[in-house]
Amino acid sequence: MLRSAAVRVPLLRAVCGAPGRAGLGRAAPRAEEEEEEEEQQPVGRVPLYPGHIPTSPLQKALLAAGSACAALWDPYRHDMVAVLGETTGCLALPKLRDRMRNDPEGYRILQERPRIRLSTLDMARLQGLPDGTLGREYVRFLEDNKVSPDTRMPAKFVDDEELAYVIQRYREVHDLMHTLLGMPTNMLGEVVVKWFEAIQTGLPMCVLGAAFGPVRLSARKLQVLATELVPWAVRSGRNASCILNVYYEQRWEQSVESLREEIGIFPPPAVRV
């Protein structure tokens, strides 16, 4: 019991940040703290990639429960949504990885590990592309909604280096899903995207977001969601090829319309979101 409690201390620090060290006693040197945490690390559970935090099934269950409650209370807690996705994706992530391995473009993505971040994007070039192209509309989406690709948290709790990249890739193409689906970042738009992603990925985090997100919508928006947007998102999700098998970085000059058609996403309904 004492050992289990000791193991939880570094985990809580990693998720919530280290607590303050106010007090009268002399603070222990940092080297001694690191040595103590190394001694607390369970035998055979070592980090598999930079930032990885090894966790037991019980710890994952606790993290999943806590992050689910926090995300339902505040859907814009992206850090909690990220933890929920990692701790509940043990069945969905290997299936997504296999779909990528079995597709030529998806396999190349797994091999080359591209990242969508400000440091890898030529924003000036994308802004200069013609209206209607994927690159121009993606930048327009970022500007209109005041979001940045750098806000996506790195994976921490996925106990496989390749699967950690799969969920990282999913996070980094999320804004591209908004662009292709024509959905803003308000609650209604996020719920619609979650319905599409739930069908596409099978991630429990997406299913929960699709199921519980509508409770915050008005009656009018619920009607539009149920009669127009959800049926379209579900049909598009089922019809579309795997969204992780598209090398978006090499499609910036392609029109959004033609890429939708290539992937199998139906044109968005003509309703105000």
Side-chain angles (χ1 to χ4, degrees), residues 31-106:
E32 294 180 9
E33 293 176 9
E34 292 177 352
E35 182 178 349
E36 179 183 348
E37 290 188 6
E38 288 178 2
E39 292 176 356
Q40 293 167 352
Q41 180 70 45
V43 177
R45 288 166 54 194
V46 297
L48 302 176
Y49 51 86
H52 176 229
I53 302 174
T55 48
S56 68
L58 175 59
Q59 289 172 324
K60 279 188 172 59
L62 293 173
L63 285 169
S67 59
C69 292
L72 290 174
W73 181 261
D74 181 1
Y76 291 101
R77 281 291 304 272
H78 299 300
D79 54 342
M80 293 294 98
V81 174
V83 173
L84 180 62
E86 293 178 30
T87 53
T88 60
C90 56
L91 297 179
L93 288 175
K95 294 179 181 178
L96 286 171
R97 187 261 317 275
D98 291 345
R99 292 175 71 182
M100 295 181 74
R101 283 179 174 177
N102 293 327
D103 180 89
E105 197 164 343

XYZ file of all heavy atoms in Angstrom, residues 31-106:
582
model
N 18.721 16.845 -6.939
C 19.324 15.552 -7.278
C 18.750 14.452 -6.401
O 18.483 13.333 -6.863
C 20.842 15.621 -7.133
N 18.541 14.754 -5.104
C 17.986 13.752 -4.202
C 16.545 13.432 -4.582
O 16.111 12.281 -4.497
C 18.058 14.254 -2.757
C 19.484 14.406 -2.232
C 19.488 14.903 -0.797
O 18.404 14.950 -0.188
O 20.573 15.257 -0.307
N 15.783 14.446 -5.023
C 14.403 14.202 -5.435
C 14.360 13.286 -6.646
O 13.548 12.360 -6.716
C 13.730 15.534 -5.761
C 13.538 16.428 -4.543
C 12.956 17.771 -4.961
O 12.560 17.890 -6.141
O 12.892 18.667 -4.114
N 15.234 13.556 -7.619
C 15.236 12.728 -8.820
C 15.624 11.299 -8.489
O 15.060 10.344 -9.030
C 16.204 13.321 -9.844
C 15.738 14.668 -10.398
C 16.744 15.271 -11.343
O 17.870 14.706 -11.430
O 16.429 16.285 -11.985
N 16.591 11.133 -7.585
C 16.999 9.791 -7.203
C 15.845 9.065 -6.511
O 15.608 7.878 -6.747
C 18.212 9.872 -6.270
C 18.745 8.500 -5.853
C 19.972 8.625 -4.967
O 20.515 9.741 -4.855
O 20.365 7.594 -4.396
N 15.106 9.814 -5.666
C 13.973 9.199 -4.969
C 12.903 8.750 -5.944
O 12.356 7.660 -5.830
C 13.389 10.216 -3.980
C 12.188 9.685 -3.209
C 11.601 10.744 -2.299
O 12.263 11.785 -2.100
O 10.487 10.527 -1.801
N 12.611 9.603 -6.972
C 11.591 9.239 -7.938
C 12.031 8.049 -8.780
O 11.229 7.208 -9.161
C 11.285 10.441 -8.833
C 10.553 11.550 -8.083
C 10.085 12.645 -9.016
O 10.231 12.464 -10.241
O 9.565 13.659 -8.528
N 13.323 7.958 -9.094
C 13.819 6.806 -9.836
C 13.631 5.527 -9.035
O 13.290 4.477 -9.565
C 15.294 7.009 -10.193
C 15.517 8.058 -11.273
C 16.986 8.254 -11.564
O 17.804 7.535 -10.932
O 17.318 9.113 -12.392
N 13.854 5.608 -7.705
C 13.665 4.433 -6.870
C 12.203 4.025 -6.806
O 11.875 2.854 -6.686
C 14.183 4.727 -5.459
C 15.696 4.885 -5.382
C 16.152 5.267 -3.989
O 15.282 5.487 -3.119
O 17.371 5.351 -3.770
N 11.288 5.003 -6.947
C 9.875 4.694 -6.898
C 9.356 4.114 -8.206
O 8.289 3.542 -8.246
C 9.089 5.972 -6.560
C 9.347 6.490 -5.159
C 8.806 7.891 -4.980
O 8.368 8.535 -5.930
N 8.806 8.366 -3.743
N 10.094 4.274 -9.291
C 9.664 3.770 -10.582
C 9.604 2.249 -10.552
O 10.583 1.576 -10.250
C 10.651 4.210 -11.674
C 10.281 3.727 -13.064
C 9.048 4.430 -13.568
O 8.912 5.629 -13.459
N 8.140 3.668 -14.115
N 8.416 1.646 -10.851
C 8.287 0.196 -10.831
C 9.268 -0.473 -11.772
O 9.545 0.031 -12.859
C 6.841 -0.027 -11.288
C 6.146 1.265 -10.990
C 7.171 2.328 -11.167
N 9.778 -1.613 -11.332
C 10.732 -2.365 -12.140
C 10.075 -2.803 -13.437
O 8.951 -3.299 -13.457
C 11.234 -3.598 -11.354
C 12.170 -4.422 -12.227
C 11.921 -3.155 -10.078
N 10.758 -2.616 -14.580
C 10.252 -3.037 -15.872
C 9.364 -2.015 -16.551
O 8.947 -2.215 -17.672
N 9.048 -0.914 -15.901
C 8.207 0.121 -16.492
C 9.054 1.370 -16.677
O 9.173 2.201 -15.792
C 6.991 0.396 -15.619
C 5.963 -0.726 -15.640
C 4.949 -0.587 -14.528
N 4.324 0.730 -14.555
C 3.607 1.194 -13.538
N 3.484 0.482 -12.434
N 3.041 2.384 -13.611
N 9.647 1.484 -17.837
C 10.518 2.615 -18.143
C 9.910 3.393 -19.300
O 9.161 2.848 -20.112
C 11.937 2.138 -18.507
C 12.584 1.434 -17.321
C 11.894 1.192 -19.704
N 10.195 4.692 -19.405
C 9.658 5.497 -20.510
C 10.053 4.923 -21.874
O 11.184 4.517 -22.087
C 10.286 6.872 -20.267
C 10.581 6.899 -18.801
C 10.959 5.500 -18.444
N 9.100 4.901 -22.806
C 9.322 4.330 -24.127
C 9.617 5.389 -25.177
O 10.052 5.076 -26.275
C 8.087 3.525 -24.555
C 7.684 2.380 -23.609
C 6.397 1.724 -24.086
C 8.801 1.345 -23.526
N 9.365 6.655 -24.845
C 9.630 7.764 -25.763
C 9.675 9.037 -24.925
O 9.211 9.039 -23.778
C 8.549 7.855 -26.857
C 7.135 7.859 -26.333
C 6.500 9.034 -25.928
C 6.419 6.665 -26.237
C 5.205 9.034 -25.449
C 5.122 6.647 -25.752
C 4.519 7.840 -25.367
O 3.226 7.824 -24.879
N 10.215 10.129 -25.452
C 10.301 11.366 -24.657
C 8.923 11.824 -24.176
O 7.987 11.935 -24.964
C 10.908 12.370 -25.648
C 11.679 11.527 -26.604
C 10.893 10.253 -26.756
N 8.816 12.060 -22.881
C 7.561 12.508 -22.305
C 6.644 11.401 -21.855
O 5.620 11.663 -21.205
N 6.978 10.143 -22.169
C 6.117 9.022 -21.792
C 6.103 8.821 -20.287
O 7.142 8.893 -19.627
C 6.607 7.741 -22.472
C 5.832 6.518 -22.060
N 6.453 5.350 -21.647
C 4.500 6.285 -21.980
C 5.538 4.453 -21.354
N 4.342 4.993 -21.544
N 4.904 8.596 -19.728
C 4.743 8.305 -18.311
C 4.146 6.909 -18.180
O 2.957 6.709 -18.438
C 3.828 9.335 -17.623
C 4.388 10.741 -17.794
C 3.659 9.011 -16.145
C 3.479 11.835 -17.275
N 4.947 5.903 -17.809
C 4.406 4.547 -17.656
C 3.349 4.511 -16.551
O 3.523 5.106 -15.485
C 5.640 3.712 -17.270
C 6.815 4.523 -17.714
C 6.403 5.954 -17.555
N 2.241 3.829 -16.807
C 1.158 3.723 -15.840
C 0.597 2.312 -15.836
O 0.595 1.623 -16.860
C 0.024 4.706 -16.167
O -0.300 4.616 -17.563
C 0.414 6.142 -15.844
N 0.097 1.910 -14.689
C -0.533 0.605 -14.544
C -1.980 0.679 -15.025
O -2.530 1.772 -15.195
C -0.509 0.183 -13.071
O -1.368 1.028 -12.308
N -2.641 -0.469 -15.247
C -4.059 -0.444 -15.623
C -4.923 0.303 -14.616
O -5.843 1.029 -15.001
C -4.424 -1.926 -15.695
C -3.144 -2.612 -16.056
C -2.081 -1.838 -15.332
N -4.626 0.142 -13.325
C -5.397 0.852 -12.307
C -5.194 2.357 -12.429
O -6.158 3.138 -12.350
C -4.995 0.380 -10.910
C -5.652 1.136 -9.733
C -7.166 1.018 -9.809
C -5.121 0.611 -8.399
N -3.962 2.789 -12.625
C -3.697 4.215 -12.773
C -4.381 4.780 -14.017
O -4.915 5.894 -13.999
C -2.189 4.449 -12.827
C -1.491 4.235 -11.495
C 0.027 4.278 -11.626
O 0.585 3.827 -12.628
N 0.691 4.812 -10.620
N -4.372 4.007 -15.109
C -5.057 4.459 -16.321
C -6.554 4.594 -16.073
O -7.196 5.547 -16.552
C -4.793 3.480 -17.465
C -3.442 3.673 -18.156
C -3.351 2.799 -19.379
C -2.082 3.130 -20.174
N -0.849 2.948 -19.405
N -7.136 3.651 -15.331
C -8.568 3.724 -15.036
C -8.895 4.964 -14.218
O -9.896 5.645 -14.473
C -9.014 2.458 -14.302
N -8.050 5.263 -13.236
C -8.276 6.445 -12.406
C -8.133 7.726 -13.232
O -8.923 8.668 -13.096
C -7.302 6.456 -11.228
C -7.491 5.346 -10.177
C -6.352 5.372 -9.169
C -8.836 5.499 -9.476
N -7.098 7.760 -14.088
C -6.908 8.923 -14.949
C -8.081 9.086 -15.912
O -8.543 10.202 -16.171
C -5.605 8.789 -15.730
C -4.309 9.026 -14.957
C -3.113 8.586 -15.788
C -4.173 10.494 -14.573
N -8.568 7.966 -16.457
C -9.693 8.028 -17.390
C -10.947 8.557 -16.709
O -11.649 9.423 -17.253
C -9.956 6.642 -17.982
N -11.223 8.054 -15.496
C -12.415 8.503 -14.772
C -12.324 9.985 -14.427
O -13.278 10.748 -14.626
C -12.599 7.666 -13.503
N -11.175 10.402 -13.908
C -11.011 11.801 -13.532
C -11.062 12.742 -14.721
O -11.715 13.789 -14.672
N -10.381 12.369 -15.806
C -10.370 13.242 -16.982
C -11.735 13.282 -17.657
O -12.126 14.326 -18.209
C -9.303 12.768 -17.979
O -9.546 11.430 -18.400
N -12.489 12.173 -17.611
C -13.830 12.157 -18.195
C -14.746 13.129 -17.451
O -15.485 13.905 -18.074
C -14.414 10.745 -18.157
N -14.682 13.104 -16.133
C -15.506 14.016 -15.334
C -15.132 15.467 -15.614
O -16.000 16.334 -15.797
C -15.343 13.711 -13.850
S -16.050 12.110 -13.339
N -13.821 15.740 -15.671
C -13.361 17.115 -15.919
C -13.753 17.587 -17.313
O -14.166 18.741 -17.504
C -11.851 17.203 -15.730
N -13.640 16.694 -18.316
C -13.967 17.071 -19.687
C -15.471 17.283 -19.872
O -15.892 18.162 -20.635
C -13.466 16.006 -20.662
N -16.290 16.490 -19.174
C -17.735 16.674 -19.263
C -18.160 17.978 -18.588
O -19.088 18.652 -19.042
C -18.460 15.483 -18.632
C -18.371 14.169 -19.409
C -18.988 13.034 -18.610
C -19.078 14.292 -20.764
N -17.479 18.322 -17.510
C -17.791 19.562 -16.801
C -17.379 20.778 -17.632
O -18.096 21.776 -17.686
C -17.083 19.575 -15.449
C -17.366 20.805 -14.636
C -16.585 21.917 -14.501
C -18.538 21.049 -13.847
N -17.187 22.837 -13.677
C -18.389 22.334 -13.259
C -19.693 20.298 -13.572
C -19.363 22.887 -12.427
C -20.652 20.856 -12.739
C -20.488 22.126 -12.186
N -16.213 20.670 -18.275
C -15.709 21.763 -19.108
C -15.135 21.175 -20.393
O -13.977 20.766 -20.429
C -14.640 22.559 -18.359
C -14.106 23.730 -19.183
O -14.583 23.930 -20.311
O -13.210 24.451 -18.683
N -15.938 21.105 -21.463
C -15.482 20.489 -22.719
C -14.277 21.168 -23.348
O -13.641 20.594 -24.230
C -16.720 20.615 -23.626
C -17.867 20.792 -22.704
C -17.336 21.548 -21.532
N -13.955 22.387 -22.904
C -12.811 23.093 -23.468
C -11.523 22.845 -22.681
O -10.511 23.487 -22.945
C -13.116 24.594 -23.555
C -14.176 24.907 -24.589
C -15.492 25.150 -24.216
C -13.880 24.915 -25.954
C -16.477 25.421 -25.166
C -14.846 25.175 -26.903
C -16.140 25.427 -26.500
O -17.110 25.683 -27.455
N -11.581 21.908 -21.724
C -10.354 21.477 -21.046
C -9.622 20.490 -21.945
O -9.755 19.272 -21.813
C -10.684 20.833 -19.693
C -10.991 21.789 -18.569
C -9.774 22.576 -18.123
N -8.672 21.723 -17.725
C -8.495 21.241 -16.497
N -9.362 21.528 -15.541
N -7.444 20.503 -16.207
N -8.869 21.022 -22.904
C -8.226 20.165 -23.901
C -7.207 19.216 -23.275
O -6.951 18.132 -23.811
C -7.564 21.033 -24.970
C -8.518 21.911 -25.720
N -9.569 21.400 -26.449
C -8.612 23.262 -25.826
C -10.250 22.389 -26.998
N -9.697 23.537 -26.622
N -6.623 19.625 -22.132
C -5.674 18.735 -21.481
C -6.368 17.477 -20.953
O -5.851 16.360 -21.073
C -4.950 19.459 -20.351
C -5.912 20.093 -19.352
O -7.104 20.276 -19.664
O -5.470 20.409 -18.224
N -7.574 17.646 -20.406
C -8.316 16.499 -19.895
C -8.858 15.629 -21.032
O -8.897 14.400 -20.925
C -9.460 16.963 -18.996
C -9.021 17.629 -17.703
S -8.164 16.489 -16.567
C -6.432 16.857 -16.922
N -9.278 16.276 -22.109
C -9.733 15.516 -23.283
C -8.585 14.666 -23.822
O -8.781 13.505 -24.208
C -10.262 16.477 -24.368
C -10.590 15.713 -25.651
C -11.495 17.223 -23.865
N -7.371 15.224 -23.821
C -6.201 14.487 -24.303
C -5.908 13.274 -23.428
O -5.656 12.169 -23.932
C -4.986 15.407 -24.354
N -5.937 13.462 -22.101
C -5.692 12.343 -21.181
C -6.749 11.262 -21.369
O -6.441 10.064 -21.396
C -5.672 12.840 -19.718
C -5.598 11.659 -18.751
C -4.484 13.770 -19.493
N -8.009 11.671 -21.517
C -9.084 10.701 -21.720
C -8.859 9.895 -22.993
O -9.050 8.669 -23.010
C -10.427 11.439 -21.784
C -11.670 10.574 -22.003
C -11.853 9.588 -20.859
C -12.910 11.452 -22.161
N -8.451 10.566 -24.068
C -8.211 9.862 -25.326
C -7.112 8.828 -25.212
O -7.218 7.717 -25.765
N -6.041 9.153 -24.481
C -4.904 8.237 -24.356
C -5.212 7.052 -23.447
O -4.766 5.931 -23.708
C -3.697 8.996 -23.819
C -3.158 10.045 -24.777
C -1.985 10.811 -24.190
O -1.254 10.226 -23.372
O -1.814 11.990 -24.549
N -5.935 7.287 -22.370
C -6.154 6.229 -21.378
C -7.318 5.304 -21.738
O -7.484 4.272 -21.092
C -6.414 6.842 -19.990
O -7.485 7.803 -20.082
C -5.158 7.547 -19.474
N -8.097 5.663 -22.748
C -9.219 4.804 -23.142
C -9.083 4.270 -24.570
O -9.977 3.577 -25.052
C -10.558 5.569 -23.033
O -10.517 6.718 -23.900
C -10.815 6.011 -21.598
N -7.975 4.586 -25.235
C -7.837 4.218 -26.643
C -7.092 2.925 -26.900
O -6.639 2.688 -28.025
N -7.005 2.050 -25.904
C -6.168 0.850 -26.036
C -6.669 -0.110 -27.129
O -5.869 -0.868 -27.689
C -6.068 0.122 -24.704
S -7.649 -0.337 -23.982
N -7.955 -0.099 -27.431
C -8.481 -0.975 -28.487
C -8.535 -0.267 -29.835
O -8.267 -0.875 -30.874
C -9.873 -1.478 -28.104
C -9.968 -2.342 -26.843
C -11.410 -2.744 -26.576
C -9.086 -3.579 -26.975
N -8.884 1.005 -29.823
C -9.064 1.737 -31.077
C -7.735 2.086 -31.743
O -7.621 2.027 -32.980
C -9.873 3.011 -30.822
N -6.729 2.452 -30.953
C -5.466 2.903 -31.543
C -4.755 1.823 -32.363
O -4.265 2.115 -33.465
C -4.538 3.448 -30.460
C -4.953 4.795 -29.863
C -4.017 5.190 -28.712
C -4.948 5.885 -30.934
N -4.665 0.561 -31.885
C -4.036 -0.457 -32.744
C -4.780 -0.665 -34.057
O -4.152 -0.920 -35.094
C -4.092 -1.721 -31.864
C -4.129 -1.204 -30.460
C -4.947 0.040 -30.533
N -6.115 -0.540 -34.047
C -6.882 -0.685 -35.285
C -6.581 0.454 -36.248
O -6.441 0.237 -37.457
C -8.376 -0.732 -34.974
C -8.805 -1.971 -34.190
C -10.297 -1.949 -33.893
C -10.708 -3.176 -33.093
N -12.153 -3.160 -32.756
N -6.464 1.671 -35.707
C -6.109 2.801 -36.555
C -4.708 2.634 -37.125
O -4.466 2.911 -38.312
C -6.194 4.099 -35.754
C -7.598 4.625 -35.441
C -7.516 5.792 -34.470
C -8.320 5.035 -36.710
N -3.773 2.169 -36.280
C -2.401 1.939 -36.749
C -2.371 0.894 -37.867
O -1.656 1.064 -38.865
C -1.553 1.485 -35.556
C -0.057 1.364 -35.829
C 0.379 -0.077 -36.103
N -0.211 -1.033 -35.212
C 0.263 -1.364 -34.001
N 1.321 -0.756 -33.524
N -0.343 -2.293 -33.284
N -3.171 -0.164 -37.727
C -3.199 -1.206 -38.759
C -3.790 -0.680 -40.065
O -3.336 -1.063 -41.154
C -4.003 -2.412 -38.261
C -3.296 -3.149 -37.134
O -2.086 -2.916 -36.940
O -3.960 -3.949 -36.436
N -4.788 0.192 -39.964
C -5.356 0.784 -41.180
C -4.313 1.651 -41.887
O -4.263 1.686 -43.120
C -6.598 1.611 -40.836
C -7.772 0.778 -40.361
C -8.937 1.653 -39.918
N -9.582 2.315 -41.040
C -10.609 3.168 -40.917
N -11.059 3.477 -39.700
N -11.154 3.705 -41.979
N -3.491 2.326 -41.114
C -2.425 3.131 -41.710
C -1.359 2.245 -42.329
O -0.858 2.523 -43.424
C -1.814 4.052 -40.654
C -2.763 5.104 -40.114
S -2.009 6.196 -38.873
C -0.951 7.224 -39.916
N -1.007 1.176 -41.663
C 0.017 0.267 -42.187
C -0.423 -0.368 -43.500
O 0.409 -0.664 -44.368
C 0.306 -0.837 -41.170
C 1.172 -0.410 -39.999
C 1.375 -1.578 -39.052
N 2.320 -1.281 -37.978
C 2.615 -2.118 -36.987
N 2.024 -3.325 -36.949
N 3.488 -1.777 -36.054
N -1.721 -0.593 -43.665
C -2.241 -1.287 -44.838
C -2.584 -0.350 -45.985
O -3.137 -0.788 -47.002
C -3.481 -2.103 -44.455
C -3.147 -3.247 -43.517
O -2.066 -3.835 -43.596
N -4.062 -3.581 -42.615
N -2.273 0.936 -45.833
C -2.518 1.907 -46.894
C -1.184 2.523 -47.293
O -0.390 2.898 -46.430
C -3.475 2.994 -46.385
C -3.761 4.043 -47.442
O -4.715 3.849 -48.221
O -3.032 5.061 -47.485
N -0.890 2.636 -48.593
C 0.427 3.168 -49.005
C 0.723 4.554 -48.431
O 1.829 4.800 -47.930
C 0.330 3.204 -50.534
C -0.696 2.159 -50.862
C -1.683 2.188 -49.746
N -0.244 5.462 -48.497
C -0.013 6.812 -47.990
C 0.055 6.818 -46.465
O 0.890 7.502 -45.869
C -1.125 7.753 -48.477
C -0.776 9.221 -48.355
C -1.689 10.104 -49.187
O -2.375 9.576 -50.092
O -1.711 11.330 -48.948
N -0.811 6.030 -45.838
C -0.781 5.934 -44.387
C 0.512 5.321 -43.883
O 1.072 5.762 -42.865
